[in-house]
Amino acid sequence: MRASLFPVRVATFALARFIFRLRSGATFSDGTSVDAEAVKKNFDAIPKLGGLAILAQGYLTDYRGTEAVDRLTAKVIFDRPDAEFLQATSTAALGLVSPADTASTPERRCADGVHGSGPFTVSGYRQNQSLTLPRTYRGRCSRPTP
């Protein structure tokens, strides 16, 4: 048996550019739309977080910028190929937050929390004691099947 590995779409595959097509109707927990501008604001804000975002900054080495191609399409561009970036976008370090949160100071983001786009929100937090995460569907994500 012989096997070969090869890229399926060589003409459109480049590890220095990543195109994200976002789902229409998705929102952050503060009601703001998850759109290409939000993606841009998130990645552009990471360097401003300084030492509070060491891991995220490592994922964005050689990051050139993000272009909002249209409302639901964001193109993330690096100066050199970055093979780990796509996997890194699935981590908490590069999790998207509301544009209002990206405009906050790093200290305020850490103290007050942020608004994400997932199926849960933080409704209660007591340092070193508890964290309450109620499910929130409100059209932002698919309801899990029991």
Side-chain angles (χ1 to χ4, degrees):
M1 176 185 232
R2 229 177 110 145
S4 298
L5 296 176
F6 58 93
V8 177
R9 294 172 49 180
V10 175
T12 60
F13 184 72
L15 290 177
R17 294 171 190 235
F18 299 86
I19 296 175
F20 293 88
R21 297 191 201 307
L22 306 168
R23 191 183 66 190
S24 178
T27 61
F28 292 101
S29 60
D30 66 357
T32 306
S33 293
V34 177
D35 59 19
E37 275 301 318
V39 172
K40 176 179 176 35
K41 288 178 181 179
N42 270 265
F43 292 136
D44 289 351
I46 288 173
K48 299 172 192 163
L49 294 174
L52 299 173
I54 296 293
L55 182 58
Q57 288 180 25
Y59 289 141
L60 294 179
T61 302
D62 297 317
Y63 172 73
R64 182 186 307 165
T66 299
E67 174 189 341
V69 177
D70 60 39
R71 195 175 84 69
L72 296 175
T73 307
K75 183 192 306 184
V76 181
I77 304 166
F78 290 85
D79 287 327
R80 296 189 315 209
D82 189 333
E84 71 180 354
F85 174 71
L86 193 56
Q87 180 276 330
T89 61
S90 70
T91 68
L94 292 184
L96 298 179
V97 298
S98 173
D101 297 323
T102 65
S104 294
T105 65
E107 296 77 18
R108 185 120 238 128
R109 284 176 74 169
C110 288
D112 295 345
V114 294
H115 300 90
S117 62
F120 299 94
T121 59
V122 177
S123 67
Y125 171 73
R126 291 174 44 187
Q127 188 172 357
N128 298 324
Q129 293 181 23
S130 65
L131 176 65
T132 306
L133 301 169
R135 289 184 194 177
T136 56
Y137 299 108
R138 294 184 285 188
R140 288 194 308 277
C141 57
S142 300
R143 187 176 184 103
T145 306

